[in-house]
């Protein structure tokens, strides 16, 4: 009897894969066979830990301790029985060759969770350099052959903080169908010349908060697709990159409205654009409203303030037909700094569906280049001017 008990105790002490810490049960991936040797794929270990943590009736933590790990494509499925935390303290690297993703559109795909937290100061390095050289999105119009680093699908009441995403192969983060998700101290890094490496792309989600973060990448820092509602970006530095944008909208039928976007207290440095709303000409009908950009610093930024309802990259559209996306209740306030293009403010609204309720003021953007004086261009909108304007409005 005593002997049996001791054996059981020994077993419990030595081999149990989880332990309690505070209110949370901890599942350490090393206990599931993960090795920080940079060459053993930890996806099976991580998925095993996930399965047990997700089944735990009390809050649980999956721990990726310090060390460098290799991780292939993984898909985490919820819902889970209790709040779950992914504590990443190590560096996690993806295989450099996209062929190893076997057509998977995501590196880490996280589906259907409530009260999920990802934190720990860890780094996710997708090693995108090799993939960028294979990128043919511009040529084919499709990027389906490359994985996005993080796909958050149908996640509610969740927090992603103190995590860094490095060198994604395609987008860093895609947020779809989420409600109340916060990104804080979430850093994104990729070189200026990396193709289609959008920072955080949001679609069909309500309540997305991006705060106290740095995003420097090869495409948009943050972009809003259709159905984005109540999105706030504050205290974010963006650059390099293509800026923060709404759209492009209107390209596809049955797009959902974009309502409620606030970009405040942000700094853009050496980006191709600043704050931008883009819709396709000859488009499907759509609505984007309550879009506000305030307290923003521009350092050597192209097109710092831009509404472009004739957005038509690679001439994939008929520019003679107006955009049918209606923009309303838009404001640009207290935006200062330097423009790298002479047209510092351009508000090109649709001739068929003019913008309504657009307010602008306290703009002070200077241009030091050789292509003439700094200018503002405005079409198909009656503006409410609420403060000083440099450049002056036409
Ligand atoms: C997330 O919230 C939506 C809307 O309230 C709900 O339909 C869905 O079931 C929730 N998902 C989870 C995983 O809790
Ligand atoms: C949003 O999610 C956070 C994190 O779970 C939670 O603390 C907060 O109460 C949620 N907000 C709402 C309005 O549900
Ligand atoms: C994010 O970037 C900022 C600015 O570069 C830096 O101060 C901060 O330490 C970084 N945070 C993390 C979690 O890496
Ligand atoms: C802005 O974010 C940075 C981290 O990127 C943080 O160190 C700083 O305290 C934040 N500022 C405010 C006013 O919250
Ligand atoms: C903007 O930043 C300042 C400090 O730099 C802070 O006091 C203020 O609350 C911030 N505003 C918003 C809307 O985050
Ligand atoms: C304009 O947007 C603000 C902020 O989102 C909102 O409070 C207000 O109700 C909107 N006004 C109109 C006329 O829709």
């Amino acid at each position: 009897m005593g002997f049996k008990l001791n054996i059981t105790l020994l077993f419990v002490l030595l081999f149990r894969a989880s332990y309690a810490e505070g209110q949370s049960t901890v599942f350490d991936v090393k206990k599931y066979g993960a090795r920080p040797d940079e060459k053993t794929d930890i996806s099976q270990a991580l998925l095993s830990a996930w399965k047990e943590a997700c089944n735990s009736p009390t809050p649980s933590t999956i721990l990726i301790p310090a060390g460098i790990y290799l991780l292939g494509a993984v898909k985490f499925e919820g819902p889970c029985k209790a709040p779950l935390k992914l504590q990443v303290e190590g560096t996690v690297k993806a295989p450099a060759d996209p062929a190893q993703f076997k057509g998977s559109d995501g590196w880490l795909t996280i589906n259907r969770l409530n009260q999920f937290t990802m934190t720990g100061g860890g780094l996710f390095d997708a090693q995108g350099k090799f993939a960028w050289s294979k990128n043919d999105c511009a040529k084919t119009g499709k990027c389906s052959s490359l994985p996005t680093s993080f796909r958050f699908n149908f996640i509610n009441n969740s927090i992603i903080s103190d995590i860094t995403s490095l060198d994604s192969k395609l987008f860093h983060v895609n947020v779809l169908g989420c409600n109340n998700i916060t990104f804080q101290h979430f850093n994104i890094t990729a070189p200026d010349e990396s193709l289609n490496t959008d920072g955080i792309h949001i679609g069909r989600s309500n309540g997305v908060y991006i705060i106290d973060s740095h995003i420097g990448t090869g495409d948009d820092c943050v972009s809003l697709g259709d159905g984005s509602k109540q999105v706030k970006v504050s205290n974010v530095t963006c650059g390099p990159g293509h800026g923060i944008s709404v759209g492009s909208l209107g390209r596809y039928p049955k797009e959902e409205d974009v309502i409620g976007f606030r970009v405040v207290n942000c700094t853009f440095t050496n980006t191709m654009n600043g704050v931008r709303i883009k819709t396709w000409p000859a488009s499907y009908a759509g609505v984007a409203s309550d879009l506000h950009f305030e307290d923003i610093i521009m350092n050597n930024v192209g097109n710092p303030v831009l509404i472009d309802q004739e957005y038509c990259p690679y001439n994939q559209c008929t520019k003679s037909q107006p955009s049918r996306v209606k923009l309303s209740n838009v404001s640009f306030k207290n935006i200062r700094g330097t423009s790298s293009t002479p047209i510092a403010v351009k508000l090109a609204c649709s001739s068929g569906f003019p913008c309504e309720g657009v307010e602008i003021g306290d703009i002070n953007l200077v241009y030091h280049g050789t292509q003439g004086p700094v200018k503002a261009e405005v079409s198909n909108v009656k503006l409410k001017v609420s403060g000083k304007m440099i450049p002056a409005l036409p």
Side-chain angles (χ1 to χ4, degrees):
M1 170 74 180
F3 175 73
K4 211 170 158 191
L5 196 80
N6 280 346
I7 291 285
T8 309
L9 196 66
L10 197 70
F11 181 82
V12 166
L13 288 176
L14 285 180
F15 300 109
R16 69 182 177 169
S18 66
Y19 56 96
E21 196 183 84
Q23 308 236 290
S24 196
T25 310
V26 177
F27 299 83
D28 182 337
V29 291
K30 278 179 153 175
K31 300 264 168 66
Y32 292 84
R35 284 208 296 271
D37 62 5
E38 270 185 80
K39 51 180 198 280
T40 314
D41 184 347
I42 68 165
S43 55
Q44 279 320 313
L46 191 51
L47 285 167
S48 302
W50 182 277
K51 202 171 157 200
E52 287 197 26
C54 190
N55 265 320
S56 161
T58 55
S60 54
T61 297
I62 297 169
L63 173 66
I64 301 182
I68 306 179
Y69 303 84
L70 178 72
L71 174 67
V74 280
K75 196 179 266 184
F76 301 117
E77 291 290 348
C80 296
K81 290 191 176 145
L84 193 152
K85 178 155 100 181
L86 182 56
Q87 172 83 12
V88 185
E89 295 173 0
T91 290
V92 180
K93 290 187 175 182
D97 185 355
Q100 296 205 31
F101 283 77
K102 301 186 188 84
S104 171
D105 65 0
W107 180 20
L108 287 92
T109 302
I110 303 175
N111 289 336
R112 290 175 221 286
L113 293 178
N114 190 25
Q115 297 190 302
F116 172 64
T117 304
M118 182 161 83
T119 189
L123 170 77
F124 286 86
D125 179 0
Q127 307 207 80
K129 201 169 178 177
F130 179 67
W132 304 329
S133 70
K134 305 257 170 241
N135 182 315
D136 60 358
C137 300
K139 244 183 284 164
T140 63
K142 284 193 192 134
C143 305
S144 47
S145 56
L146 293 174
T148 286
S149 284
F150 294 96
R151 288 187 171 273
F152 297 107
N153 299 322
F154 312 104
I155 302 286
N156 299 341
N157 307 312
S158 295
I159 299 176
I160 316 299
S161 70
D162 299 285
I163 291 289
T164 298
S165 174
L166 179 65
D167 292 348
S168 57
K169 289 174 165 52
L170 197 68
F171 291 13
H172 291 267
V173 174
N174 194 72
V175 174
L176 176 72
C178 295
N179 294 292
N180 181 21
I181 181 169
T182 297
F183 294 85
Q184 184 172 24
H185 303 143
F186 184 77
N187 286 356
I188 289 180
T189 304
D192 201 2
E193 67 278 4
S194 57
L195 287 171
N196 305 108
T197 54
D198 292 56
I200 302 180
H201 179 76
I202 299 158
R204 306 203 173 192
S205 295
N206 193 338
V208 180
Y209 312 100
I210 303 168
I211 57 182
D212 305 340
S213 296
H214 174 69
I215 305 178
T217 193
D219 208 304
D220 289 338
C221 288
V222 174
S223 58
L224 264 60
D226 81 291
S228 300
K229 299 197 165 68
Q230 308 312 332
V231 177
K232 185 170 172 186
V233 178
S234 72
N235 189 27
V236 166
T237 54
C238 165
H242 295 182
I244 293 185
S245 70
V246 175
S248 55
L249 299 175
R251 193 178 187 191
Y252 302 102
K254 299 203 183 110
E255 288 185 357
E256 293 176 13
D257 298 350
V258 171
I259 297 174
F261 184 36
R262 284 176 62 78
V263 177
V264 291
N265 269 356
C266 291
T267 301
F268 294 72
T269 303
N270 298 326
T271 49
M272 188 186 280
N273 306 283
V275 291
R276 178 164 67 141
I277 302 167
K278 48 183 178 174
T279 77
W280 290 73
S283 73
Y284 292 96
V287 164
S289 68
D290 302 5
L291 316 172
H292 305 285
F293 307 91
E294 196 169 343
D295 301 334
I296 293 171
I297 295 170
M298 301 285 180
N299 298 315
N300 191 41
V301 166
N303 316 306
V305 174
L306 178 61
I307 293 179
D308 181 5
Q309 294 212 263
E310 295 183 343
Y311 179 75
C312 183
Y314 319 115
N315 283 316
Q316 290 169 1
C317 58
T318 327
K319 273 209 181 189
S320 56
Q321 299 277 320
S323 176
R324 292 170 65 213
V325 178
K326 177 85 180 174
L327 304 183
S328 65
N329 196 6
V330 178
S331 67
F332 300 98
K333 287 185 193 166
N334 189 24
I335 301 180
R336 291 167 290 134
T338 53
S339 176
S340 62
T341 54
I343 302 171
V345 174
K346 181 175 175 178
L347 307 175
C349 290
S350 166
S351 59
F353 298 80
C355 300
E356 263 173 37
V358 180
E359 187 176 335
I360 190 165
D362 295 317
I363 307 293
N364 188 347
L365 292 165
V366 298
Y367 168 68
H368 297 300
T370 56
Q371 298 168 59
V374 67
K375 275 194 302 204
E377 284 183 2
V378 175
S379 52
N380 304 311
V381 56
K382 218 154 87 202
L383 293 172
K384 177 178 173 204
V385 181
S386 59
K388 221 174 151 186
M389 285 295 306
I390 302 170
L393 292 167

